[in-house]
Structure formats: structure tokens, C-alpha cells
Amino acid sequence: MGTERGELHVAIVMDGNGRWAEAHGCARTAGHEAGVEAALRVIESAPGCGIDALSLYAFSSDNWQRPASEVHALMGLAARFLREQAARAVESGVRLEVIGRRDRLPAPVRHAIAFAERATQGGRRLRVRVALDYSARDAILRAARRLPATVATHESFGALLASVDRGTPVGPVDLFIRTGGERRLSDFLLWESAYAELYFVDMPWPEFGAVDLAEAVAWFRGRSRRFGGLVPRRAHPA
Ligand code: IPE
Ligand code: IPE
Ligand code: MG
């Protein structure tokens, strides 16, 4: 079983852009630009790997601490990505969604989100959830503050959690990938990843491609997932 709906949900911490750029003698922003290209490769190859939902960590709430110039460049890339990719997403059946806080994002980014979400809402082949100004702990806090007594199961709290970040309901993360060599979660999808298989690669994000995604998914399919019991449950209908 993947998500409750039998869908395969993969989360990716796209890390290592800055170090990749520095290693190539470029500005960190060049790494972020190359990172967008890597994201496009992964989005394109995801349906072929059997992935239904892809959650991409693009900007964490803690990333506001970075220099204003880098934050500005990242926001510009996010707006451009959403505006430019909407048409391609419609063509390829991709639904674009943005999760995270919206109130602190610059207006052009908010407008690009509204545009891309509206344009692609009919996409059924793949859901791409771009996390912008995202903090899992912050989302859990906001959901807890709104908690009605009727929300008493992990599933219903999960749905509430998705809604505080403006996302539509999504099942738990099955496979959690982080590039860039660090072995940590950095506040991404903490609740949703309770039973996620964790996959860490040293490769920086700009070098990640379709073959690497397929390798990660193949590794995932070989895992024995027991969810606390003794009997392995199928990770995902092949
Ligand atoms: C990930 O790459 C992208 C963002 C966090 C926005 P980094 O910018 O963290 O790259 P490194 O980890 O410094 O190499
Ligand atoms: C996590 O990477 C956030 C994104 C990839 C968007 P960071 O580079 O911000 O995480 P830390 O600082 O290494 O934990
Ligand atoms: Mg980093």
C-alpha cells in the first residue's frame, strides 16, 4: 500500500544547489537555476516511475534567514517556474499546487501560484506540490490550533494539515529523498513521513536526473514495509 488511495507519494529535499555552484566557480544563484532544470527532469520522468504525487521542497520557512539577494533570486525563480511551466503542465496532465504559507510571499509569486493552480487544476497524471515558505512544524501548530473535536484520526488530522497549507488532501509520503549529502529532514513533511522510506544521496540536486529517480523508486519497491506489524505490506501496487 502506498497512500490511502494506493498512490505513490514521493517527497524530495532538493538540496545541494549552492555547494554545486560554488564547486563550479559560480554564484549560488546559478545553482538554483540548475536546480530548476533538475526539477523539470524529475517532474517529466515521475509518471514513468509510477509516481502519482511529488512534493518538492523549494524554499523552507527557515530559508528567509539567507541573504536578501539569494531570497530575491529564489522568489524570482519560483514565480518564473510557475508562470512558465503552467502551459507545459496542462499539456502533460500535471497538476501544480503550492504548499506552505502564502502571506509572506511577494505578490508576483502569489499571483503566479494562483495562475498555475487555476490553469492546471484538471491535471490527473501527476500532482506536483511545490513547498514554498514551508515548515512542517509550523503547519502542525496551525492545524492543531484549528483542531475540531471531530478530527480524531491520523487520516483526518492529515487532511486538516494539508488544508492549513492550502493543499488538497494527499496521502502519507512513501519515499523521502534528499540530495546533497545531508541526512536530515529540515522540517519537511514531518507528520506525513511517519513511515516514509528515507533515501539519501550525496549527489547535489542539479545533477539529479531521471535515472537517479528511477533508481530511488526501484530501491523503494524492494523495501519491506511493515507499518509496525510483522507482515510486510506491499509498498505500492506495481
Ligand atoms: C537547496 O540548495 C535549495 C534551497 C534551500 C533553496 P541549497 O541552497 O541549500 O544548497 P546548499 O545546501 O547550500 O549546497
Ligand atoms: C532544506 O535545505 C530546504 C530546501 C531544500 C528547500 P536547507 O539547505 O535549507 O537545509 P539545512 O539548512 O541544510 O538543514
Ligand atoms: Mg542546503
Side-chain angles (χ1 to χ4, degrees), residues 96-114:
L96 292 171
E97 288 176 36
V98 171
I99 56 167
R101 283 181 64 163
R102 301 233 174 138
D103 55 309
R104 300 187 293 197
L105 295 176
V109 179
R110 290 204 307 271
H111 295 151
I113 294 170

Side-chain angles (χ1 to χ4, degrees), residues 83-170:
R83 273 198 316 269
E84 291 182 359
Q85 293 307 316
R88 184 164 157 188
V90 169
E91 253 172 50
S92 50
V94 170
R95 179 174 185 171
L96 292 171
E97 288 176 36
V98 171
I99 56 167
R101 283 181 64 163
R102 301 233 174 138
D103 55 309
R104 300 187 293 197
L105 295 176
V109 179
R110 290 204 307 271
H111 295 151
I113 294 170
F115 169 74
E117 287 189 335
R118 204 173 329 108
T120 67
Q121 63 189 354
R124 293 286 174 271
R125 203 157 145 260
L126 173 71
R127 282 169 72 188
V128 174
R129 304 175 349 126
V130 180
L132 282 180
D133 194 2
Y134 177 87
S135 155
R137 286 171 299 171
D138 187 60
I140 291 168
L141 263 180
R142 281 180 284 124
R145 271 197 238 111
R146 288 192 205 170
L147 197 62
T150 47
V151 174
T153 64
H154 292 164
E155 286 71 25
S156 54
F157 186 76
L160 176 65
L161 195 53
S163 75
V164 297
D165 265 334
R166 307 276 290 262
T168 52
V170 67

